[in-house]
Amino acid sequence: MSIARTLIRADVRALSAYHVPDASGLVKLDAMENPYLLPPELQRQLGERLGAAALNRYPVPSYAKLKAALRERMGIPAGFDVVLGNGSDELISILSVACAKPGAKVLAPVPGFVMYAMSAQFAGLEFIGVPLAADLSLDLDAMLAAVREHRPAITYLAYPNNPTGNLFDLDAMLAIIREVGDTGLVVVDEAYQPFAGASFMPRLPQHPNVAVMRTVSKLGLAGIRLGYLSASRDLLAEFDKVRPPYNVNVLTETTAEFVLEHAAVLDAQAEAICAQRAALLAALAALPGVQVYPSAANFVLLRIVRPGLTGAQVFDRLLQRKVLVKNVGKMHALLENCLRVTVSTPEENAAFLAALQPSLES
Ligand SMILES: *Cc1c(COP(=O)(O)O)cnc(C)c1O
Protein backbone atom coordinates (compact mmCIF):
# COMPACT_ATOMS: atom_id res chain seq x y z
CA MET A 1 0.00 0.00 0.00
CA SER A 2 1.28 3.44 -0.88
CA ILE A 3 1.76 5.86 1.95
CA ALA A 4 -0.60 8.33 0.24
CA ARG A 5 -3.40 5.75 0.43
CA THR A 6 -2.96 5.08 4.11
CA LEU A 7 -2.13 8.61 5.16
CA ILE A 8 -4.39 10.96 3.23
CA ARG A 9 -8.09 11.55 3.99
CA ALA A 10 -10.39 9.67 1.62
CA ASP A 11 -12.28 12.86 0.66
CA VAL A 12 -9.01 14.57 -0.27
CA ARG A 13 -7.84 11.56 -2.33
CA ALA A 14 -11.17 11.63 -4.17
CA LEU A 15 -10.68 15.24 -5.25
CA SER A 16 -9.08 16.32 -8.48
CA ALA A 17 -6.59 19.19 -8.10
CA TYR A 18 -7.71 22.72 -8.99
CA HIS A 19 -7.09 22.70 -12.72
CA VAL A 20 -5.48 25.72 -14.37
CA PRO A 21 -5.17 25.19 -18.14
CA ASP A 22 -1.98 26.17 -19.96
CA ALA A 23 -2.63 29.48 -21.73
CA SER A 24 0.66 29.97 -23.57
CA GLY A 25 0.07 31.35 -27.06
CA LEU A 26 -3.61 31.94 -26.35
CA VAL A 27 -5.76 35.01 -25.84
CA LYS A 28 -6.39 34.38 -22.14
CA LEU A 29 -9.96 35.24 -21.19
CA ASP A 30 -10.63 32.52 -18.60
CA ALA A 31 -9.59 33.96 -15.24
CA MET A 32 -10.98 37.50 -14.89
CA GLU A 33 -7.54 39.06 -14.97
CA ASN A 34 -7.09 42.74 -15.68
CA PRO A 35 -5.21 42.90 -19.04
CA TYR A 36 -3.31 46.07 -18.15
CA LEU A 37 0.10 46.42 -16.49
CA LEU A 38 1.25 49.50 -14.57
CA PRO A 39 2.57 52.32 -16.80
CA PRO A 40 6.37 51.99 -17.38
CA GLU A 41 7.28 54.91 -15.10
CA LEU A 42 5.36 53.38 -12.20
CA GLN A 43 6.94 49.99 -12.94
CA ARG A 44 10.37 51.61 -12.57
CA GLN A 45 9.46 53.33 -9.30
CA LEU A 46 7.96 50.12 -7.94
CA GLY A 47 11.17 48.29 -8.87
CA GLU A 48 13.14 50.72 -6.73
CA ARG A 49 10.73 50.34 -3.84
CA LEU A 50 10.90 46.55 -4.02
CA GLY A 51 14.69 46.64 -4.28
CA ALA A 52 14.85 48.58 -1.02
CA ALA A 53 12.36 46.35 0.83
CA ALA A 54 13.62 44.58 3.96
CA LEU A 55 13.73 41.08 2.49
CA ASN A 56 15.92 39.95 5.40
CA ARG A 57 13.14 40.59 7.92
CA TYR A 58 9.83 38.90 8.55
CA PRO A 59 6.92 41.19 7.72
CA VAL A 60 5.80 43.31 10.68
CA PRO A 61 2.65 41.34 11.52
CA SER A 62 0.48 44.36 12.33
CA TYR A 63 0.68 45.47 8.64
CA ALA A 64 -0.31 48.87 10.07
CA LYS A 65 0.63 51.01 7.05
CA LEU A 66 -1.00 48.76 4.45
CA LYS A 67 -4.17 48.41 6.53
CA ALA A 68 -4.37 52.18 6.98
CA ALA A 69 -4.03 52.66 3.21
CA LEU A 70 -6.78 50.12 2.55
CA ARG A 71 -9.07 51.71 5.15
CA GLU A 72 -8.52 55.11 3.60
CA ARG A 73 -8.74 54.21 -0.11
CA MET A 74 -11.26 51.42 -0.12
CA GLY A 75 -14.15 53.01 1.76
CA ILE A 76 -13.85 51.02 4.98
CA PRO A 77 -16.36 52.57 7.44
CA ALA A 78 -15.02 54.74 10.27
CA GLY A 79 -14.03 52.65 13.27
CA PHE A 80 -13.69 49.46 11.20
CA ASP A 81 -10.45 47.64 10.48
CA VAL A 82 -9.45 44.84 8.09
CA VAL A 83 -7.79 41.45 8.35
CA LEU A 84 -5.45 40.56 5.46
CA GLY A 85 -5.25 37.33 3.52
CA ASN A 86 -2.93 35.81 0.93
CA GLY A 87 -5.72 36.37 -1.57
CA SER A 88 -9.34 36.15 -0.47
CA ASP A 89 -8.96 32.39 -0.95
CA GLU A 90 -6.95 32.37 2.26
CA LEU A 91 -9.53 34.52 4.03
CA ILE A 92 -12.21 31.98 3.09
CA SER A 93 -10.01 29.28 4.55
CA ILE A 94 -9.46 31.31 7.75
CA LEU A 95 -13.22 31.85 8.13
CA SER A 96 -13.88 28.13 7.64
CA VAL A 97 -11.29 27.07 10.21
CA ALA A 98 -12.40 29.68 12.76
CA CYS A 99 -16.05 28.59 12.51
CA ALA A 100 -15.51 24.81 12.25
CA LYS A 101 -17.36 23.72 15.38
CA PRO A 102 -18.64 20.13 15.18
CA GLY A 103 -21.74 20.05 12.97
CA ALA A 104 -21.28 23.62 11.70
CA LYS A 105 -22.43 24.32 8.12
CA VAL A 106 -21.62 26.71 5.28
CA LEU A 107 -24.35 27.88 2.91
CA ALA A 108 -24.16 29.65 -0.43
CA PRO A 109 -26.23 30.03 -3.58
CA VAL A 110 -25.13 27.77 -6.45
CA PRO A 111 -23.70 28.10 -8.99
CA GLY A 112 -21.21 30.20 -7.05
CA PHE A 113 -17.53 30.53 -6.25
CA VAL A 114 -16.08 27.02 -5.86
CA MET A 115 -13.74 27.87 -2.97
CA TYR A 116 -16.65 28.28 -0.52
CA ALA A 117 -17.47 24.59 -0.81
CA MET A 118 -13.88 23.37 -1.04
CA SER A 119 -12.72 25.37 1.94
CA ALA A 120 -15.71 24.17 3.97
CA GLN A 121 -14.85 20.57 3.13
CA PHE A 122 -11.19 20.98 4.06
CA ALA A 123 -12.18 22.38 7.45
CA GLY A 124 -14.73 19.61 8.06
CA LEU A 125 -17.83 21.77 7.57
CA GLU A 126 -20.88 20.62 5.65
CA PHE A 127 -21.61 22.72 2.55
CA ILE A 128 -25.22 23.49 1.60
CA GLY A 129 -25.70 24.82 -1.94
CA VAL A 130 -29.04 26.51 -2.65
CA PRO A 131 -29.80 26.75 -6.39
CA LEU A 132 -30.38 30.19 -7.87
CA ALA A 133 -33.68 30.88 -9.63
CA ALA A 134 -33.89 30.13 -13.37
CA ASP A 135 -33.03 33.76 -14.20
CA LEU A 136 -29.91 33.39 -11.97
CA SER A 137 -31.29 35.74 -9.29
CA LEU A 138 -31.44 34.67 -5.63
CA ASP A 139 -34.27 32.25 -4.89
CA LEU A 140 -35.18 34.12 -1.74
CA ASP A 141 -37.78 31.64 -0.45
CA ALA A 142 -35.35 28.75 -0.89
CA MET A 143 -32.53 30.70 0.76
CA LEU A 144 -34.67 31.66 3.77
CA ALA A 145 -35.94 28.08 4.12
CA ALA A 146 -32.37 26.72 3.95
CA VAL A 147 -31.17 29.21 6.57
CA ARG A 148 -34.03 28.16 8.88
CA GLU A 149 -33.38 24.47 8.32
CA HIS A 150 -29.58 24.46 8.56
CA ARG A 151 -28.70 27.53 10.69
CA PRO A 152 -25.41 27.91 8.80
CA ALA A 153 -22.37 29.29 10.62
CA ILE A 154 -21.33 31.06 7.40
CA THR A 155 -23.50 32.20 4.50
CA TYR A 156 -21.66 33.54 1.44
CA LEU A 157 -23.24 36.06 -0.91
CA ALA A 158 -20.96 37.12 -3.77
CA TYR A 159 -21.88 40.65 -4.84
CA PRO A 160 -21.70 40.41 -7.84
CA ASN A 161 -21.78 36.63 -8.16
CA ASN A 162 -19.22 34.48 -10.00
CA PRO A 163 -19.79 32.82 -12.51
CA THR A 164 -23.12 34.53 -13.23
CA GLY A 165 -21.89 38.16 -13.10
CA ASN A 166 -25.10 39.60 -11.66
CA LEU A 167 -25.65 41.70 -8.54
CA PHE A 168 -28.15 40.03 -6.25
CA ASP A 169 -31.18 42.04 -5.18
CA LEU A 170 -30.23 44.10 -2.13
CA ASP A 171 -33.58 43.63 -0.38
CA ALA A 172 -33.25 39.85 -0.79
CA MET A 173 -29.76 40.00 0.72
CA LEU A 174 -31.05 42.07 3.65
CA ALA A 175 -33.84 39.54 4.23
CA ILE A 176 -31.27 36.72 4.36
CA ILE A 177 -29.06 38.73 6.74
CA ARG A 178 -32.12 39.30 8.99
CA GLU A 179 -33.04 35.61 8.90
CA VAL A 180 -29.48 34.58 9.84
CA GLY A 181 -29.69 37.01 12.76
CA ASP A 182 -27.17 36.37 15.52
CA THR A 183 -26.82 32.64 14.76
CA GLY A 184 -24.31 33.02 11.93
CA LEU A 185 -22.09 35.22 9.81
CA VAL A 186 -23.01 36.48 6.33
CA VAL A 187 -19.94 37.11 4.18
CA VAL A 188 -20.54 39.53 1.31
CA ASP A 189 -17.80 38.70 -1.21
CA GLU A 190 -17.00 41.78 -3.27
CA ALA A 191 -14.21 40.42 -5.47
CA TYR A 192 -15.65 42.38 -8.42
CA GLN A 193 -16.43 45.60 -6.55
CA PRO A 194 -14.22 47.75 -8.87
CA PHE A 195 -16.62 46.97 -11.72
CA ALA A 196 -19.90 46.74 -9.82
CA GLY A 197 -20.93 50.32 -9.08
CA ALA A 198 -22.36 48.96 -5.83
CA SER A 199 -21.01 47.85 -2.48
CA PHE A 200 -22.31 46.59 0.84
CA MET A 201 -19.36 48.20 2.65
CA PRO A 202 -21.17 51.42 3.71
CA ARG A 203 -23.89 49.28 5.36
CA LEU A 204 -21.44 47.22 7.38
CA PRO A 205 -21.86 49.20 10.66
CA GLN A 206 -25.60 48.40 10.71
CA HIS A 207 -25.06 44.63 10.53
CA PRO A 208 -22.97 43.00 13.27
CA ASN A 209 -23.48 39.60 11.59
CA VAL A 210 -21.93 40.69 8.25
CA ALA A 211 -18.34 40.70 6.97
CA VAL A 212 -17.35 42.27 3.65
CA MET A 213 -14.51 40.55 1.82
CA ARG A 214 -12.54 41.93 -1.12
CA THR A 215 -9.44 41.19 -3.16
CA VAL A 216 -7.07 43.21 -5.32
CA SER A 217 -6.90 40.31 -7.81
CA LYS A 218 -9.54 41.39 -10.31
CA LEU A 219 -8.40 45.00 -9.96
CA GLY A 220 -5.09 44.33 -11.69
CA LEU A 221 -2.96 42.70 -8.98
CA ALA A 222 -3.82 39.01 -9.23
CA GLY A 223 -0.10 38.20 -9.09
CA ILE A 224 0.54 39.60 -5.62
CA ARG A 225 -2.21 37.64 -3.80
CA LEU A 226 -3.88 40.05 -1.38
CA GLY A 227 -7.37 39.98 0.05
CA TYR A 228 -8.94 41.94 2.90
CA LEU A 229 -11.98 41.49 5.05
CA SER A 230 -13.78 43.96 7.26
CA ALA A 231 -16.19 43.19 10.08
CA SER A 232 -16.78 44.14 13.70
CA ARG A 233 -13.70 44.42 15.89
CA ASP A 234 -14.46 41.34 18.01
CA LEU A 235 -14.90 39.11 14.93
CA LEU A 236 -11.69 40.38 13.32
CA ALA A 237 -9.79 39.70 16.54
CA GLU A 238 -10.83 36.02 16.40
CA PHE A 239 -10.10 35.62 12.66
CA ASP A 240 -6.69 37.19 13.24
CA LYS A 241 -5.80 34.39 15.68
CA VAL A 242 -6.30 31.82 12.91
CA ARG A 243 -4.37 33.84 10.32
CA PRO A 244 -0.76 32.65 9.87
CA PRO A 245 1.24 35.55 11.36
CA TYR A 246 3.31 36.40 8.24
CA ASN A 247 0.75 35.40 5.62
CA VAL A 248 1.26 38.54 3.50
CA ASN A 249 4.88 38.73 2.34
CA VAL A 250 6.91 41.95 2.18
CA LEU A 251 6.91 42.06 -1.64
CA THR A 252 3.11 41.96 -1.67
CA GLU A 253 2.94 44.44 1.18
CA THR A 254 5.34 46.87 -0.52
CA THR A 255 3.64 46.54 -3.90
CA ALA A 256 0.15 47.07 -2.49
CA GLU A 257 1.27 50.14 -0.51
CA PHE A 258 2.87 51.58 -3.66
CA VAL A 259 -0.09 50.89 -5.93
CA LEU A 260 -2.55 52.33 -3.39
CA GLU A 261 -0.57 55.58 -3.56
CA HIS A 262 -1.39 55.53 -7.28
CA ALA A 263 -4.91 54.17 -7.00
CA ALA A 264 -6.12 56.50 -9.76
CA VAL A 265 -4.24 54.31 -12.28
CA LEU A 266 -6.23 51.23 -11.28
CA ASP A 267 -9.47 53.24 -11.19
CA ALA A 268 -8.85 54.36 -14.78
CA GLN A 269 -8.17 50.75 -15.85
CA ALA A 270 -11.40 49.60 -14.19
CA GLU A 271 -13.28 52.38 -15.97
CA ALA A 272 -11.84 51.31 -19.33
CA ILE A 273 -12.86 47.71 -18.64
CA CYS A 274 -16.42 48.81 -17.75
CA ALA A 275 -16.64 50.70 -21.07
CA GLN A 276 -15.36 47.60 -22.88
CA ARG A 277 -17.90 45.47 -21.03
CA ALA A 278 -20.75 47.62 -22.40
CA ALA A 279 -19.37 47.28 -25.94
CA LEU A 280 -18.91 43.51 -25.58
CA LEU A 281 -22.40 42.99 -24.13
CA ALA A 282 -23.92 44.96 -27.02
CA ALA A 283 -21.96 43.00 -29.63
CA LEU A 284 -22.95 39.67 -28.06
CA ALA A 285 -26.61 40.68 -27.75
CA ALA A 286 -26.67 41.22 -31.53
CA LEU A 287 -25.39 37.69 -32.26
CA PRO A 288 -27.99 35.05 -33.12
CA GLY A 289 -27.47 31.78 -31.24
CA VAL A 290 -26.10 33.53 -28.16
CA GLN A 291 -27.96 34.58 -25.04
CA VAL A 292 -25.95 37.03 -22.96
CA TYR A 293 -26.58 37.91 -19.31
CA PRO A 294 -26.21 41.33 -17.67
CA SER A 295 -22.87 41.76 -15.89
CA ALA A 296 -21.66 43.91 -13.00
CA ALA A 297 -18.24 42.23 -13.11
CA ASN A 298 -15.23 42.14 -15.46
CA PHE A 299 -16.58 39.07 -17.22
CA VAL A 300 -19.70 38.13 -19.11
CA LEU A 301 -21.73 34.95 -18.99
CA LEU A 302 -23.22 33.76 -22.24
CA ARG A 303 -25.28 30.76 -23.24
CA ILE A 304 -25.17 29.00 -26.59
CA VAL A 305 -28.80 28.59 -27.63
CA ARG A 306 -28.42 27.31 -31.21
CA PRO A 307 -30.10 23.91 -31.64
CA GLY A 308 -27.55 21.18 -32.33
CA LEU A 309 -24.65 23.22 -30.96
CA THR A 310 -23.27 22.87 -27.42
CA GLY A 311 -21.27 25.27 -25.27
CA ALA A 312 -18.49 22.65 -25.13
CA GLN A 313 -18.27 22.62 -28.94
CA VAL A 314 -18.03 26.40 -29.08
CA PHE A 315 -15.38 26.31 -26.33
CA ASP A 316 -13.31 23.85 -28.41
CA ARG A 317 -13.71 25.87 -31.59
CA LEU A 318 -12.63 29.04 -29.78
CA LEU A 319 -9.58 27.19 -28.49
CA GLN A 320 -8.73 26.07 -32.04
CA ARG A 321 -8.78 29.79 -32.89
CA LYS A 322 -6.39 30.45 -29.98
CA VAL A 323 -8.94 31.98 -27.60
CA LEU A 324 -9.25 30.51 -24.10
CA VAL A 325 -12.51 31.14 -22.22
CA LYS A 326 -14.04 29.19 -19.33
CA ASN A 327 -16.52 26.44 -20.06
CA VAL A 328 -18.85 26.57 -17.04
CA GLY A 329 -21.50 24.36 -18.64
CA LYS A 330 -20.76 21.40 -16.37
CA MET A 331 -20.63 23.41 -13.14
CA HIS A 332 -24.37 23.37 -12.54
CA ALA A 333 -27.56 22.45 -14.39
CA LEU A 334 -28.52 26.14 -14.52
CA LEU A 335 -25.40 26.83 -16.59
CA GLU A 336 -25.95 24.29 -19.34
CA ASN A 337 -24.13 25.43 -22.53
CA CYS A 338 -22.76 28.51 -20.76
CA LEU A 339 -19.33 30.09 -21.24
CA ARG A 340 -17.69 32.73 -19.06
CA VAL A 341 -15.49 35.29 -20.78
CA THR A 342 -13.21 37.91 -19.20
CA VAL A 343 -13.63 41.47 -20.46
CA SER A 344 -10.22 42.53 -21.78
CA THR A 345 -8.65 45.17 -24.03
CA PRO A 346 -10.49 46.35 -27.17
CA GLU A 347 -8.03 44.24 -29.23
CA GLU A 348 -8.54 41.02 -27.26
CA ASN A 349 -12.31 41.47 -27.11
CA ALA A 350 -12.32 41.94 -30.88
CA ALA A 351 -10.20 38.79 -31.27
CA PHE A 352 -12.74 36.90 -29.15
CA LEU A 353 -15.71 38.18 -31.18
CA ALA A 354 -13.92 37.38 -34.44
CA ALA A 355 -13.28 33.83 -33.21
CA LEU A 356 -16.80 33.42 -31.82
CA GLN A 357 -18.76 34.21 -34.98
CA PRO A 358 -17.45 31.32 -37.11
CA SER A 359 -17.60 29.06 -34.02
CA LEU A 360 -21.39 29.45 -33.90
CA GLU A 361 -22.10 27.70 -37.18
CA SER A 362 -24.07 24.50 -36.61
C1 LIG B 1 -11.72 35.50 -7.98
C2 LIG B 1 -12.63 35.43 -6.79
C3 LIG B 1 -12.10 35.40 -5.50
C4 LIG B 1 -10.65 35.03 -5.26
O1 LIG B 1 -9.86 36.03 -5.03
P1 LIG B 1 -8.31 35.87 -4.70
O2 LIG B 1 -8.09 37.08 -3.87
O3 LIG B 1 -7.61 35.92 -6.01
O4 LIG B 1 -8.07 34.63 -3.93
C5 LIG B 1 -12.98 35.42 -4.42
N1 LIG B 1 -14.31 35.44 -4.61
C6 LIG B 1 -14.84 35.46 -5.84
C7 LIG B 1 -16.32 35.47 -6.00
C8 LIG B 1 -14.02 35.43 -6.97
O5 LIG B 1 -14.56 35.37 -8.19
Side-chain angles (χ1 to χ4, degrees):
M1 271 238 257
S2 81
I3 182 152
R5 281 203 53 179
T6 51
L7 190 67
I8 305 298
R9 285 160 46 173
D11 65 323
V12 172
R13 277 190 283 119
L15 286 172
S16 34
Y18 190 87
H19 173 65
V20 180
D22 179 14
S24 42
L26 304 176
V27 178
K28 187 175 189 307
L29 303 177
D30 65 329
M32 285 81 83
E33 291 148 329
N34 174 340
Y36 300 109
L37 290 164
L38 291 176
E41 175 53 24
L42 289 188
Q43 289 182 14
R44 195 191 57 74
Q45 290 176 24
L46 172 60
E48 273 177 27
R49 238 358 137 87
L50 290 171
L55 303 182
N56 56 324
R57 303 283 179 199
Y58 285 106
V60 177
S62 68
Y63 297 103
K65 189 174 165 207
L66 175 54
K67 286 185 181 182
L70 286 167
R71 284 199 304 269
E72 187 187 327
R73 310 268 178 177
M74 297 304 187
I76 311 294
F80 279 68
D81 201 0
V82 294
V83 61
L84 304 181
N86 194 328
S88 32
D89 286 352
E90 186 184 51
L91 291 169
I92 295 167
S93 165
I94 288 171
L95 294 169
S96 307
V97 170
C99 297
K101 293 205 277 188
K105 298 179 185 177
V106 170
L107 187 144
V110 288
F113 187 50
V114 290
M115 291 313 294
Y116 307 148
M118 286 191 69
S119 208
Q121 180 187 342
F122 293 155
L125 296 148
E126 185 184 346
F127 179 78
I128 311 291
V130 179
L132 294 172
D135 65 356
L136 307 180
S137 65
L138 279 176
D139 184 340
L140 181 58
D141 289 343
M143 286 293 291
L144 295 178
V147 168
R148 271 181 228 119
E149 182 186 346
H150 297 286
R151 302 281 21 141
I154 305 173
T155 299
Y156 288 98
L157 295 171
Y159 189 67
N161 190 41
N162 171 14
T164 56
N166 53 327
L167 281 170
F168 292 142
D169 179 65
L170 186 61
D171 288 330
M173 291 173 55
L174 291 169
I176 292 164
I177 290 164
R178 254 193 321 273
E179 182 65 49
V180 167
D182 57 7
T183 65
L185 177 68
V186 177
V187 179
V188 179
D189 181 349
E190 297 195 343
Y192 300 95
Q193 177 268 334
F195 316 99
S199 172
F200 203 86
M201 197 67 96
R203 295 174 179 271
L204 191 54
Q206 296 148 41
H207 301 283
N209 64 342
V210 172
V212 177
M213 181 171 70
R214 294 203 190 137
T215 172
V216 299
S217 292
K218 314 299 166 27
L219 185 60
L221 300 170
I224 72 171
R225 312 300 299 128
L226 179 70
Y228 57 99
L229 175 134
S230 190
S232 67
R233 203 161 280 276
D234 54 336
L235 276 173
L236 290 192
E238 302 305 327
F239 297 145
D240 217 37
K241 295 176 191 169
V242 177
R243 181 183 62 82
Y246 307 118
N247 62 330
V248 174
N249 73 73
V250 292
L251 298 176
T252 294
E253 182 184 26
T254 305
T255 304
E257 286 172 6
F258 176 83
V259 175
L260 286 169
E261 291 165 20
H262 304 278
V265 172
L266 296 189
D267 292 345
Q269 292 178 354
E271 214 175 293
I273 289 166
C274 287
Q276 279 305 307
R277 177 180 66 199
L280 185 61
L281 287 171
L284 288 168
L287 277 185
V290 172
Q291 179 191 1
V292 64
Y293 290 87
S295 170
N298 65 339
F299 63 86
V300 299
L301 181 76
L302 55 95
R303 194 189 300 271
I304 305 303
V305 291
R306 175 153 292 173
L309 185 65
T310 67
Q313 283 171 320
V314 175
F315 172 86
D316 287 338
R317 293 174 180 182
L318 286 169
L319 203 52
Q320 281 160 19
R321 296 182 168 92
K322 303 282 180 220
V323 176
L324 178 65
V325 302
K326 179 91 172 173
N327 178 8
V328 294
K330 291 276 181 286
M331 252 183 90
H332 193 276
L334 285 166
L335 296 181
E336 196 178 7
N337 292 317
C338 283
L339 303 175
R340 190 191 66 194
V341 186
T342 310
V343 179
S344 185
T345 59
E347 296 73 26
E348 290 199 335
N349 297 336
F352 161 65
L353 287 169
L356 179 62
Q357 279 164 46
S359 301
L360 290 171
E361 278 151 30
S362 32

